[in-house]
Amino acid sequence: MSTTSLPVPDRSPRLREALLAAAFTADGLLDLLGAPAYAALARSETVPALRATRGDAPLDTLVRLFLLQHPVPYERARAALPLAECVEDGWVTHVGEEVRAAVDVRPYSGPEGQDWYIVSDLGCAVGGAGGIGSREEGVVLGVGGASTTLAGITVRMPVASALDVGTGSGIQALHASQHATRVTATDLNPRALDFTRLTLALSGVAPAELRQGSLYEPVGAETYDLIVSNPPFVISPGARLTYRDGGMGGDDLCRTLVQQTGDRLNEGGYAHFLANWQHVEGEEWQSRLSSWVPYGCDAWIVQREVQDVTQYAELWLRDSGDHRTDPAEYAARYDAWLDEFEARKTKGVGFGWITLRKSAAAAAGNPSVVIEEWPHAVEQPLGPAVEAHFARQDYLREQDDAALLAGHFTLAAEVVQEQVGLPGAEDPEHVVLRQNRGMRRATKVDAVGAGFAGVCDGTLPAGRILDAIAQLMNEDPVLLRDRTPQAIRLLVEEGFLEPVSSAG
């Protein structure tokens, strides 16, 4: 799989026209397959889609050919494609009366409904608990949950330059092409760069500058306004698989990538990473990650999941299909993973997101570093919520308690209040504020906090609101003003309250 030659992109506009004409798009697939069969594809289950494509329309043919990778009759392929060109350029092969796909071509919908295509190795559009089942060293994967997660958390503001480190099949570079004047994509695997070229060409977007090499080596001292990376973050005993194994000990690849980013970001620039990190005996995982944050950068790190070492080893052994090999070989590989974790005193592995932002405040010695665990559901895309998080950190760094009490706030949109208590009780045991957007946070507040949040509409300063609450509750207004700013600060930091300009 990893040694075959790849298609040439020169005439990809003609192929793109044919795919679009047949409605071989994300919306077209949903219409043809129906929701259950479409969802099954994400789990790598193809039988429902095969049943739905028994017709002879061009779309049926293209789904079977490129998506399900089943041979199709020559005449049907000729009716759906500029077939002679596709054979000559290497997109498909023609043997006898059958045509087969040479690569996986998967429709992918852009953030504004763009019809894009992700090109990858056959059988490597990620999905399903069984993983891709490939142990080919140079294999290039297609779009999967990790890549769409990274695309969703990325801040999408217009920038002059963007860098995709470890581009794979080019998904992040494809997204960056929509808001970056210049896109650079790097990968250690030259085959991945070829696939990125195909993905961009077939999607009809501008080409990226492609450079081969590890981490930041291909770009030297160049700096960027946006850096994104879905690196080979798997913590494994050795570097068998380029697409997933970092080739450094433990979580050193992710640490090195993050630590070296400070020198590559322009002022105000963002960097977004997916990463794995070790949970080491006798060490707080938050402290471990805090040491990764480079000088001059603010950081927001979110741990989404933690697996014990046995779960983690089993996940990635299934991913590469090792569970289908000889039982003795599987046991030996499993044992090697556990030996590696034992030697490093690793008791678990965390997975999550790391966002950095280059800021003047951080460079002046006052960085904002937030490290938290949030395994709950969120609303993608989160890019706007990420940008708002850092804007709130900027605001809070500049406000002492007196300034907070003089400030005006509004309750964020989509925040609701829930009262929790026994049925029939006169008063609730506690009150919860819950967001229905972004991170979908929930926080418990007391009666003062609930009353304060409910009144915030931007018209009165916080101190005046607290004075009124003190009068209603027969509390000392001075004591209430003294103890409440920290609660206000937390509600602002977590996005329940939004500061507004003073009403004067």
Side-chain angles (χ1 to χ4, degrees):
M1 180 187 299
S2 61
T3 57
T4 58
S5 60
L6 294 181
V8 293
D10 300 356
R11 290 185 284 193
S12 56
R14 287 255 296 153
L15 173 56
R16 175 176 171 80
E17 288 175 9
L19 300 181
L20 293 175
F24 186 63
T25 63
D27 288 342
L29 289 181
L30 183 57
D31 290 342
L32 173 68
L33 302 179
Y38 189 82
L41 281 178
R43 304 189 299 270
S44 293
E45 297 291 348
T46 60
V47 171
L50 284 168
R51 292 174 62 86
T53 54
R54 288 178 288 195
D56 58 3
L59 181 54
D60 296 288
T61 301
L62 293 174
V63 171
R64 284 188 164 240
L65 180 66
F66 285 122
L67 211 61
L68 307 179
Q69 282 128 43
H70 275 246
V72 299
Y74 176 84
E75 290 301 326
R76 285 183 57 180
R78 192 171 67 167
L81 293 167
L83 188 55
E85 289 181 9
C86 288
V87 172
E88 184 178 346
D89 292 346
W91 293 96
V92 298
T93 59
H94 172 211
V95 179
E97 294 301 313
E98 289 186 339
V99 173
R100 294 178 178 269
V103 290
D104 185 303
V105 176
R106 196 144 301 228
Y108 181 70
S109 183
E112 297 178 0
Q114 301 98 324
D115 290 317
W116 290 340
Y117 298 95
I118 308 300
V119 188
S120 64
D121 270 313
L122 291 173
C124 292
V126 187
I132 67 166
S134 173
R135 288 181 285 171
E136 294 274 359
E137 193 273 337
V139 71
V140 176
L141 273 59
V143 64
S147 49
T148 55
T149 293
L150 179 59
I153 67 173
T154 300
V155 173
R156 299 294 176 189
M157 59 184 181
V159 294
S161 57
L163 173 64
D164 178 12
V165 179
T167 187
S169 53
I171 300 150
Q172 308 308 322
L174 182 56
H175 279 274
S177 71
Q178 302 303 288
H179 62 105
T181 304
R182 177 174 62 92
V183 177
T184 302
T186 71
D187 206 289
L188 181 64
N189 182 2
R191 186 178 176 81
L193 299 178
D194 290 335
F195 271 116
T196 293
R197 185 179 292 107
L198 294 171
T199 289
L200 299 179
L202 194 57
S203 297
V205 306
E209 182 181 354
L210 305 177
R211 303 187 192 180
Q212 183 185 354
S214 177
L215 302 182
Y216 291 115
E217 291 173 359
V219 300
E222 294 178 39
T223 58
Y224 298 85
D225 302 312
L226 173 68
I227 298 173
V228 292
S229 183
N230 177 16
F233 52 65
V234 177
I235 299 171
S236 58
R240 269 204 308 161
L241 303 175
T242 303
Y243 73 86
R244 72 171 204 192
D245 300 327
M248 297 184 185
D251 52 20
D252 282 356
L253 182 133
C254 290
R255 175 186 57 79
T256 300
L257 177 62
V258 173
Q259 287 181 335
Q260 292 181 354
T261 298
D263 294 332
R264 272 78 181 188
L265 268 183
N266 292 327
E267 180 73 21
Y270 285 89
H272 303 273
F273 309 101
L274 298 186
N276 278 184
W277 44 79
Q278 297 169 136
H279 283 229
V280 179
E281 292 179 16
E283 183 179 351
E284 292 290 334
W285 67 270
Q286 295 94 334
S287 299
R288 183 180 191 84
L289 290 178
S290 179
S291 71
W292 292 11
V293 179
Y295 171 78
C297 288
D298 301 317
W300 185 20
I301 301 174
V302 181
Q303 179 167 274
R304 296 287 288 159
E305 182 182 4
V306 182
Q307 291 185 320
D308 67 48
V309 292
T310 59
Q311 292 174 310
Y312 190 80
E314 290 161 14
L315 169 68
W316 295 109
L317 287 167
R318 287 195 305 271
D319 172 78
S320 55
D322 286 301
H323 62 307
R324 302 189 189 100
T325 62
D326 174 71
E329 181 182 346
Y330 173 78
R333 290 196 183 280
Y334 197 155
D335 210 33
W337 283 73
L338 297 186
D339 283 345
E340 176 78 4
F341 287 132
E342 184 177 333
R344 295 183 177 276
K345 298 184 178 179
T346 301
K347 58 184 180 179
V349 178
F351 170 81
W353 319 321
I354 298 176
T355 296
L356 305 177
R357 185 192 58 164
K358 193 77 169 283
S359 78
N366 187 23
S368 165
V369 178
V370 176
I371 302 175
E372 61 177 320
E373 187 165 17
W374 189 253
H376 311 293
V378 300
E379 182 192 48
Q380 285 279 30
L382 265 176
V386 173
E387 191 172 7
H389 165 88
F390 286 97
R392 293 194 300 268
Q393 296 301 316
D394 288 343
Y395 170 83
L396 290 171
R397 270 189 292 211
E398 298 170 357
Q399 310 297 313
D400 59 17
D401 287 355
L404 277 179
L405 292 175
H408 295 243
F409 302 92
T410 59
L411 190 65
E414 305 292 332
V415 172
V416 297
Q417 176 179 303
E418 300 174 356
Q419 297 188 3
V420 181
L422 293 174
E426 184 174 345
D427 296 311
E429 293 178 18
H430 57 263
V431 176
V432 173
L433 299 181
R434 187 178 302 277
Q435 302 168 353
N436 289 320
R437 301 286 299 274
M439 293 290 286
R440 294 180 173 171
R441 295 187 188 277
T443 187
K444 188 190 299 184
V445 293
D446 60 14
V448 172
F452 180 86
V455 175
C456 282
D457 61 3
T459 58
L460 292 175
R464 291 266 304 275
I465 295 174
L466 289 177
D467 291 342
I469 291 174
Q471 187 174 7
L472 286 171
M473 301 181 67
N474 294 317
E475 290 209 31
D476 184 329
V478 175
L479 293 177
L480 193 59
R481 279 175 172 254
D482 283 346
R483 76 168 194 257
T484 306
Q486 186 56 39
I488 296 175
R489 195 174 294 275
L490 180 62
L491 289 175
V492 172
E493 180 175 339
E494 294 192 341
F496 291 95
L497 293 178
E498 297 177 348
V500 297
S501 59
S502 174

